[in-house]
Amino acid sequence: MTHIKINEVEREGSSDKVEKILQGAMQEFLAHGYAGASMDRVAVGAGVSKATVYSHFHDKEGLFKVLMEQLARKRFESVFGTQPLEGEPHVVLRELLTKALTQMLNDKEFQGFQRVLIGESARFPELSQVFLSCIAKPGSEIISQYLASRQELNIPDPEAMVWILMGSIVHLVIAQEIMHGKDIIPMESDRLIDALTHLITKCAD
């Protein structure tokens, strides 16, 4: 299985060309899905030759995975920053959930990328697995470790609690944005975040 890290690709050639290719690839995958995406159209969208695309990424799978890793890195840093989670749970959790949910609700490109992954997951399960490994797993581990470190919360299973937290906000995004259900099952972000924060901090009572 092809495995290419974004920093390895950038060392091999012009970072400007790589960025243009990735931008072109994003639009191509969003428009045509993974199976229907064309490396020829990626090259045209990026304004480079097809040979240049292949010299950097080797094949479509490698290009898709690098794009996913880039998305994961940007979104991970914007939510979690570069420092360990520290502080009072009601402050840390509210801030973290607000950042994560706001980003997921406002980033239409990322929502489109999720649609592609969900739609292609039956035929290409390894691509969805890479997505989970790059984005869901690292974030879940950080939150789980934080919850475990706060003994006053008295949470018997921090990993399961993370599933409740992340599952709740992901469900809101899928139901309201990806499946266009805002009017059918309305729920304000602040209400959900308040409920989740209350659920965790009241475990200590």
Side-chain angles (χ1 to χ4, degrees):
M1 182 182 294
T2 305
H3 185 72
I4 309 172
K5 295 292 186 179
I6 183 64
N7 57 349
E8 293 173 355
V9 174
E10 290 178 345
R11 285 198 299 269
E12 291 174 3
S14 165
S15 61
D16 182 58
K17 284 185 178 180
V18 168
E19 186 59 34
K20 287 181 179 179
I21 293 170
L22 291 174
Q23 290 174 2
M26 171 61 83
Q27 299 310 311
E28 178 65 13
F29 287 126
L30 290 179
H32 301 283
Y34 178 78
S38 161
M39 295 291 269
D40 286 331
R41 289 195 295 264
V42 170
V44 171
V48 301
S49 69
K50 185 177 179 180
T52 299
V53 175
Y54 277 107
S55 70
H56 286 300
F57 296 98
H58 307 311
D59 57 23
K60 185 164 67 174
E61 182 182 354
L63 175 56
F64 191 85
K65 288 182 178 179
V66 171
L67 180 61
M68 204 178 312
E69 289 177 355
Q70 185 194 61
L71 286 171
R73 182 179 63 190
K74 290 180 179 178
R75 281 150 184 76
F76 185 87
E77 290 178 355
S78 68
V79 173
F80 291 95
T82 58
Q83 301 299 320
L85 295 181
E86 294 180 350
E88 292 301 315
H90 70 280
V91 175
V92 171
L93 292 170
R94 182 179 297 279
E95 181 177 333
L96 190 66
L97 291 170
T98 300
K99 284 182 180 179
L101 188 52
T102 299
Q103 182 187 94
M104 294 168 71
L105 288 172
N106 293 337
D107 193 337
K108 302 304 180 184
E109 188 175 72
F110 189 61
Q111 291 173 21
F113 197 72
Q114 286 182 304
R115 289 189 182 96
V116 171
L117 280 172
I118 294 171
E120 303 280 21
S121 61
R123 288 184 293 174
F124 306 101
E126 67 277 7
L127 298 178
S128 298
Q129 290 170 350
V130 171
F131 173 82
L132 293 173
S133 296
C134 289
I135 296 181
K137 185 178 180 180
S140 296
E141 289 176 345
I142 287 177
I143 300 173
S144 178
Q145 290 169 6
Y146 171 77
L147 294 179
S149 72
R150 305 298 301 201
Q151 297 183 1
E152 74 273 20
L153 292 177
N154 193 31
I155 299 176
D157 192 339
E159 291 183 2
M161 184 62 77
V162 173
W163 276 83
I164 294 173
L165 288 174
M166 301 310 296
S168 297
I169 64 174
V170 168
H171 175 68
L172 185 144
V173 175
I174 291 176
Q176 293 197 346
E177 298 297 330
I178 295 179
M179 298 183 70
H180 312 288
K182 286 182 180 179
D183 296 332
I184 299 172
I185 46 174
M187 171 57 62
E188 293 80 14
S189 299
D190 288 345
R191 287 179 60 196
L192 181 61
I193 291 170
D194 286 343
L196 291 171
T197 304
H198 177 82
L199 172 67
I200 295 226
T201 55
K202 291 305 178 182
C203 285
D205 293 346

